[in-house]
């Protein structure tokens, strides 16, 4: 039976906001879960340009059948300004990837990215505790991942960002919460780390630059992505050539699927 035939005036609607949106995988997974669990709901992808985010969010706030929305690149940091309340994780990292809507139209921001990334590592047989980590990026997803890795007990964390000031700001916030963690602002050289993570959007579009100097990757390193499409990004291709173990971006979504589903359907 085609589940779309069951959509009615009582269907609870959720959205996923992104730009671009063609690469998202969570609608298929969340809608399958809803069908299997007898939930009368649907998650719909919506392509929203950054300039239109405020208008779209205010529109969704006014739609009474909207239960909330998932937020991905490039809106995770910007959407925080439109939330009425936010979780401790959102306050910590300055970004949200799930927003729930109360019946009165109030919006509540949550961040599950970091927990999802760590859960995805563990699903892939990679335990982050005790590892030295190189993290490319200092945006919303990178901040969430940095805090979750610190919570998971990594030995050290090096953050590289094309704007070094953003990397320093992230590490200053991290040092307040985890004063015993060894941290450093990095360069584009990812060598001498156990785990290399691309937490930028570089690799999503054809012709993107690599997020770090892939020629400096070393056999034995684990190289992890957060990009889901393409599944084998240029960084992961380079890592394979260097003899590294690779960890695909879809694992972060798989690691947080249940959390996303429960947060949307139960309101947090």
């Amino acid at each position: 039976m085609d589940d779309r035939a069951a959509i009615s005036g009582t269907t609870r609607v959720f959205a996923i906001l992104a730009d671009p949106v063609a690469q998202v995988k969570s609608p298929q997974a969340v809608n399958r879960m809803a069908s299997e669990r007898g939930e009368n709901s649907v998650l719909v992808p919506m392509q929203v340009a950054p300039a239109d985010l405020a208008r779209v969010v205010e529109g969704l706030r006014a739609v009474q059948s909207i239960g909330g929305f998932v937020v991905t690149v490039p809106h995770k940091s910007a959407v925080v300004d439109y939330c009425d309340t936010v979780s401790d994780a959102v306050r910590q990292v300055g970004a949200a990837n799930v927003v729930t809507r109360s019946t009165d139209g109030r919006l509540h921001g949550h961040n599950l990215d970091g927990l999802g990334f760590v859960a995805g590592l563990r699903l892939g047989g990679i335990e982050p505790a005790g590892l030295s980590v190189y993290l490319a990026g200092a945006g919303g997803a990178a901040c969430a991942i940095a805090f979750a890795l610190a919570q998971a007990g990594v030995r050290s964390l090096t953050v590289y960002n094309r704007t070094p000031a953003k990397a320093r700001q992230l590490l200053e916030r991290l040092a307040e919460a985890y004063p015993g963690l060894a941290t450093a602002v990095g360069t584009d050289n990812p060598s001498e780390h156990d785990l290399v993570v691309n937490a930028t959007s570089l690799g999503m579009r054809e012709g993107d630059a690599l997020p770090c100097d892939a020629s400096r990757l070393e056999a034995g390193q684990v190289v992890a992505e957060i990009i889901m499409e393409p599944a084998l990004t240029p960084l992961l291709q380079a890592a394979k050539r260097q003899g590294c173990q690779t960890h695909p971006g879809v694992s972060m979504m798989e690691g947080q699927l249940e959390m996303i589903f429960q947060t949307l359907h139960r309101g947090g």
Side-chain angles (χ1 to χ4, degrees):
M1 175 182 171
D2 188 343
D3 290 334
R4 288 172 295 183
I7 293 176
S8 70
T10 61
T11 300
R12 200 173 183 201
V13 181
F14 302 103
I16 178 165
L17 312 184
D19 186 26
V21 80
Q23 79 284 355
V24 298
K25 305 292 185 186
S26 51
Q28 302 94 306
V30 171
N31 289 333
R32 183 172 59 251
M33 293 167 72
S35 177
E36 292 169 352
R37 300 177 189 194
E39 294 278 0
N40 183 13
S41 65
V42 63
L43 176 60
V44 182
M46 297 182 179
Q47 183 159 353
V48 179
D52 297 324
L53 181 64
R55 288 186 296 164
V56 170
V57 170
E58 288 309 301
L60 294 175
R61 183 195 293 274
V63 179
Q64 295 180 30
S65 55
I66 290 285
F69 43 94
V70 179
V71 184
T72 188
V73 176
H75 304 310
K76 293 181 182 184
S77 296
V79 79
V80 175
D81 290 339
Y82 311 119
C83 294
D84 298 296
T85 66
V86 297
S87 69
D88 289 342
V90 173
R91 275 190 290 272
Q92 199 172 52
V93 306
N97 76 315
V98 177
V99 176
T100 53
R101 180 189 178 279
S102 299
T103 54
D104 61 1
R106 287 171 60 81
L107 300 179
H108 313 281
H110 314 263
N111 194 305
L112 308 175
D113 271 338
L115 293 175
F117 180 80
V118 170
L121 285 178
R122 289 172 172 153
L123 286 172
I126 302 162
E127 173 52 56
L131 299 184
S132 60
V133 180
Y134 174 97
L135 179 68
C143 290
I145 289 169
F147 276 89
L149 287 170
Q151 184 181 30
V154 299
R155 184 175 78 254
S156 65
L157 182 65
T158 298
V159 176
Y160 167 62
N161 194 69
R162 287 176 297 181
T163 306
K166 289 189 68 176
R168 283 193 293 270
Q169 289 166 6
L170 167 55
L171 293 178
E172 287 169 3
R173 299 204 311 272
L174 201 61
E176 292 179 8
Y178 299 93
L181 177 65
T183 62
V185 174
T187 68
D188 66 351
N189 178 7
S191 64
E192 299 183 3
H193 293 84
D194 302 315
L195 173 63
V196 176
V197 182
N198 176 30
T200 77
S201 62
L202 292 173
M204 187 182 297
R205 297 173 177 84
E206 187 174 350
D208 277 352
L210 289 171
C212 62
D213 183 353
S215 70
R216 305 296 295 271
L217 293 170
E218 302 166 328
Q221 287 180 309
V222 177
V223 179
E225 269 285 6
I226 68 167
I227 292 170
M228 292 187 287
E229 188 66 38
L232 189 61
T233 62
L235 177 64
L236 293 186
Q237 292 178 42
K240 283 181 177 290
R241 290 194 295 269
Q242 299 288 93
C244 303
Q245 178 183 346
T246 59
H247 182 75
V250 71
S251 296
M252 184 169 81
M253 183 197 75
E254 292 171 343
Q256 63 180 308
L257 262 180
E258 183 64 31
M259 291 183 278
I260 290 174
F261 187 89
Q262 292 294 338
T263 301
L264 287 174
H265 286 81
R266 310 294 172 239

